[in-house]
């Protein structure tokens, strides 16, 4: 059709070259609901080519000194930073998130991560012990398992989980798997990788509680909890979805929290005043909405958002996957909205009486990724943080990361940790060498 803009066609990146695919999948712009690009629908052949390229590149790359590899990682960081705006625009269009968030968090964090590990790789040490009575010395070395950036070192293969994902995780020459996603997918990965005894790092879902005690500073707590509940449309595994508020301040907190939530503007990703953009897909939008319907069917009350307030969008974006931030109350701890990961702009606010009670209720889910605790009592903060079954606990703040320290969840929220030492341990194999002299 005359005047129709050509679709963006993505290609796989294998052995340092962009390669077309025999079939493609439509990819939708979440803010309009329209197809904006086509993605390769790869399968076993593309995975075989990528594994072959990685295998051939591995000896050369793994023999590079830490200084050489550090230089390459810093170069990647520089290139990302030089094209920050271009990457931010692409990330916003693909994910539906606000352009402001992509500019200030996603791309800068990527740059920071490359620079952090470029520095970290220079400071790892090995272990050494002596057994003088036997005339022996023991020491450890670590050998790389994964690969890095010259041709064949990084390969990007697009496709669906059942086709390309299963081909990758079941391939006998892929020694380890690092996965971020849902628990059902992680279960399938575990099944397929088990015959090969692969190393796994699984960063899965969360049902993260915020515990707000009566001595919390609400002027700081409320805006931070709005952000922790609805940032990136609630599509962050670390987002708060259960808010426990001590009874003496419950009414005040709820009123102020709902008022603050209503001020969060839902708008097109390019709107600089928008706090939230669109959800990732139409299917996911319907899934998130279904939780609100189920809550209503159970007798819960919706204070703002879905079905209560009006969503105003430009005509072109009416078919986009937008949803208002939604606050639910009068809901039981056993409800699906309080036990299952929704991964959207929906949070539940419930009252509690005592410290012991709220710890038990907060821990009473299968997940254990993150939690936040709000209190001015330092002793209570440490006491509660220690008892919560969460891999990460933020107190009087949210989403402040220190890359030197472990990141990961307990229970069904995953296996393994990420971070300087933990990532180094995961992506290398340790070997103990004994020398008798």
């Amino acid at each position: 059709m005359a005047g129709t803009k050509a679709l963006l066609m993505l290609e796989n990146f294998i052995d340092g070259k962009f390669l077309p695919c025999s079939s493609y999948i439509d990819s939708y712009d979440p803010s309009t609901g329209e197809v904006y690009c086509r993605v390769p629908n790869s399968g076993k052949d593309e995975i075989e080519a990528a594994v072959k390229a990685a295998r051939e590149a591995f000896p050369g790359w793994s023999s590079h000194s830490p200084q050489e590899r550090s230089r390459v990682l810093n170069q990647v960081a520089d290139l990302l930073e030089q094209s920050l705006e271009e990457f931010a625009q692409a990330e916003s269009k693909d994910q539906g998130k606000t352009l402001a968030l992509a500019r200030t968090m996603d791309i800068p964090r990527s740059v920071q991560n490359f620079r952090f590990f470029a520095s970290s790789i220079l400071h790892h040490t090995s272990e050494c012990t002596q057994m003088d009575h036997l005339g022996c010395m023991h020491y450890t070395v670590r050998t790389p398992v994964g690969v890095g950036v010259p041709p064949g070192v990084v390969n990007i293969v697009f496709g669906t989980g059942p086709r390309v994902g299963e081909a990758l995780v079941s391939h006998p020459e892929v020694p380890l798997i690092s996965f971020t996603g849902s628990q059902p997918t992680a279960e399938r990965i575990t099944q397929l990788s088990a015959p090969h005894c692969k190393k796994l790092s699984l960063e899965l879902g969360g049902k993260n509680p915020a515990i707000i005690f009566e001595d919390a500073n609400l002027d700081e707590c409320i805006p931070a909890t709005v952000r922790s509940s609805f940032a990136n449309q609630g599509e962050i595994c670390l987002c708060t979805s259960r808010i426990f508020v001590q009874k003496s301040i419950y009414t005040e907190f709820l009123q102020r929290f709902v008022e603050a939530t209503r001020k969060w503007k839902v708008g097109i990703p390019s709107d600089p005043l928008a706090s939230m953009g669109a959800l990732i897909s139409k299917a996911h939008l319907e899934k998130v909405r279904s939780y609100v319907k189920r809550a209503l069917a159970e007798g819960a009350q919706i204070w703002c958002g879905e079905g209560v307030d009006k969503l105003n969008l430009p005509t072109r974006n009416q078919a986009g996957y937008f949803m208002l931030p939604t606050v639910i109350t009068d809901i039981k701890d056993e409800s699906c909205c309080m036990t299952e990961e929704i991964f959207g702009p929906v949070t539940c606010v419930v009252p509690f009486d005592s410290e012991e009670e709220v710890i038990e209720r907060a821990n009473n889910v299968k997940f254990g990724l993150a939690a936040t605790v709000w209190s001015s009592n330092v002793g209570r903060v440490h006491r509660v943080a220690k008892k919560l079954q969460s891999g990460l606990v933020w107190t009087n703040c949210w989403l402040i990361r220190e890359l030197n320290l472990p990141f990961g969840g307990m229970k069904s929220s995953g296996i393994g940790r990420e971070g300087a030492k933990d990532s180094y341990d995961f992506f290398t194999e340790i070997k103990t060498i004994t020398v008798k002299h």
Side-chain angles (χ1 to χ4, degrees):
M1 183 184 292
T4 301
K5 189 176 180 180
L7 290 177
L8 174 67
M9 299 289 286
L10 298 187
E11 294 178 325
N12 291 320
F13 184 71
I14 300 172
D15 201 17
K17 298 181 288 288
F18 288 101
L19 301 173
C21 190
S22 58
S23 65
Y24 287 81
I25 309 164
D26 288 340
S27 182
Y28 294 81
D29 178 344
S31 71
T32 63
E34 299 170 354
V35 176
Y36 87 98
C37 80
R38 308 208 72 213
V39 179
N41 186 19
S42 308
K44 286 185 177 180
D45 290 345
E46 288 81 5
I47 289 297
E48 200 62 54
V51 171
K52 179 176 181 292
R55 183 176 63 241
E56 292 174 353
F58 182 72
W61 175 246
S62 61
S63 66
H64 282 22
S65 70
Q67 288 76 16
E68 289 174 303
R69 280 178 278 163
S70 175
R71 180 182 57 79
V72 171
L73 293 180
N74 273 316
Q75 278 186 311
V76 172
D78 291 342
L79 290 169
L80 275 172
E81 194 166 50
Q82 288 166 20
S83 302
L84 187 148
E85 181 61 23
E86 188 178 352
F87 279 109
Q89 293 275 355
E91 178 71 2
S92 173
K93 191 174 187 67
D94 183 63
Q95 299 289 307
K97 68 179 62 187
T98 65
L99 185 54
L101 190 67
R103 278 179 183 146
T104 58
M105 188 172 81
D106 294 67
I107 311 307
R109 277 282 298 277
S110 298
V111 173
Q112 178 193 357
N113 281 15
F114 274 104
R115 288 197 174 133
F116 175 85
F117 284 102
S119 173
S120 177
I121 195 176
L122 301 175
H123 304 292
H124 288 291
T125 58
S126 60
E127 299 168 301
C128 180
T129 63
Q130 286 183 243
M131 296 177 69
D132 291 335
H133 65 291
L134 294 177
C136 288
M137 177 182 73
H138 309 271
Y139 66 95
T140 61
V141 294
R142 284 195 171 271
T143 55
V145 180
V147 289
V149 176
V153 172
V154 171
N155 300 282
I156 302 171
V157 183
F158 295 94
T160 64
R163 271 175 58 89
V164 75
E166 296 208 357
L168 177 64
V169 301
S170 62
H171 197 289
E173 293 184 75
V174 175
L176 59 78
I177 300 159
S178 177
F179 170 76
T180 300
S182 70
Q183 186 192 355
T185 304
E187 289 175 5
R188 182 62 177 154
I189 288 171
T190 304
Q191 292 167 358
L192 292 169
S193 62
H196 306 284
C197 296
K198 296 172 188 266
K199 291 173 73 175
L200 298 178
S201 175
L202 306 175
E203 200 276 279
L204 310 178
K207 194 64 186 170
N208 310 310
I211 299 175
I212 300 161
F213 288 97
E214 59 190 358
D215 59 350
N217 181 337
L218 294 187
D219 291 337
E220 293 181 2
C221 170
I222 288 171
T225 306
V226 169
R227 190 169 72 91
S228 73
S229 300
F230 306 121
N232 198 45
Q233 304 77 244
E235 294 174 320
I236 301 174
C237 59
L238 302 166
C239 273
T240 300
S241 57
R242 296 180 297 150
I243 304 173
F244 295 92
V245 186
Q246 202 151 25
K247 270 187 180 172
S248 59
I249 61 165
Y250 178 79
T251 302
E252 179 191 358
F253 174 89
L254 181 61
Q255 179 186 346
R256 292 175 62 179
F257 183 74
V258 170
E259 287 175 1
T261 298
R262 280 201 162 112
K263 291 177 183 175
W264 262 56
K265 181 182 178 182
V266 176
I268 61 174
S270 60
D271 183 349
L273 299 178
S275 301
M276 277 175 43
L279 276 72
I280 185 66
S281 70
K282 185 175 182 180
H284 186 58
L285 172 64
E286 292 307 318
K287 176 188 171 185
V288 175
R289 282 175 169 165
S290 75
Y291 278 99
V292 181
K293 292 176 184 174
R294 287 156 78 179
L296 282 170
E298 293 170 1
Q301 182 173 352
I302 313 300
W303 282 77
C304 62
E306 179 69 15
V308 175
D309 300 309
K310 189 174 184 333
L311 180 58
N312 296 308
L313 294 166
T315 303
R316 182 171 182 263
N317 302 93
Q318 293 290 326
Y321 316 135
F322 295 90
M323 179 177 172
L324 290 165
T326 301
V327 178
I328 300 174
T329 64
D330 303 303
I331 194 157
K332 295 179 180 177
D333 286 3
E334 299 77 26
S335 168
C336 62
C337 292
M338 288 285 283
T339 58
E340 298 176 15
E341 184 180 44
I342 300 174
F343 208 67
V346 176
T347 195
C348 301
V349 185
V350 293
F352 74 90
D353 286 306
S354 69
E355 181 179 311
E356 294 75 18
E357 170 209 337
V358 76
I359 291 170
E360 182 180 352
R361 292 171 66 190
N363 288 337
N364 194 30
V365 291
K366 68 179 181 178
F367 298 105
L369 182 55
T372 56
V373 179
W374 291 88
S375 172
S376 58
N377 184 321
V378 176
R380 172 187 279 158
V381 159
H382 287 287
R383 192 168 58 243
V384 173
K386 189 174 181 179
K387 292 180 180 178
L388 288 171
Q389 296 169 359
S390 298
L392 302 113
V393 180
W394 283 289
T395 63
N396 300 321
C397 63
W398 179 69
L399 208 60
I400 295 175
R401 284 287 313 280
E402 164 55 90
L403 291 175
N404 276 299
L405 299 180
F407 172 91
M410 299 179 178
K411 302 192 288 189
S412 292
S413 287
I415 297 172
R417 295 291 187 270
E418 301 169 4
K421 183 180 183 300
D422 297 271
S423 296
Y424 181 67
D425 290 348
F426 179 70
F427 287 104
T428 60
E429 286 285 9
I430 192 165
K431 180 187 297 183
T432 299
I433 299 172
T434 298
V435 179
K436 184 172 174 61
H437 54 81

